[in-house]
Amino acid sequence: MRTFTAIVERDSDTKLYVGYVPGFPGAHSQGETLDELQENLREVIEMLLEDEVLVFETEFVGTQQIVVR
């Protein structure tokens, strides 16, 4: 079992949740709900892991809040 961290945003035009896994080429999807997005991302990741041995381009470190005045 492996765990991946996804970045999730909500598109204000389509109202869809959009998610991607940093550094994992092709690991992105969308859904009408967070649950749907999670399931879609899980399916994409499983499919990508079956295709080949992947080399991650980056390592997820975290998020930061930036204050601008």
Side-chain angles (χ1 to χ4, degrees):
M1 181 176 283
R2 295 173 70 176
T3 301
F4 297 91
T5 300
I7 303 298
V8 177
E9 300 172 335
R10 187 153 191 246
D11 186 292
S12 59
D13 292 331
T14 65
K15 306 298 186 221
L16 294 174
Y17 292 97
V18 180
Y20 67 94
V21 178
F24 195 158
H28 52 84
S29 192
Q30 61 188 24
E32 291 184 2
T33 65
L34 289 172
D35 288 338
E36 181 181 2
L37 172 62
Q38 184 177 34
E39 182 59 31
N40 292 346
L41 282 171
R42 184 185 350 266
E43 289 175 5
V44 167
I45 291 168
E46 289 172 347
M47 180 182 64
L48 290 170
L49 290 174
E50 287 176 1
D51 286 344
E52 58 188 77
V53 177
L54 298 169
V55 176
F56 288 86
E57 297 171 357
T58 61
E59 175 186 344
F60 180 77
V61 175
T63 61
Q64 292 185 340
Q65 290 185 337
I66 310 300
V67 177
V68 178
R69 294 179 193 250

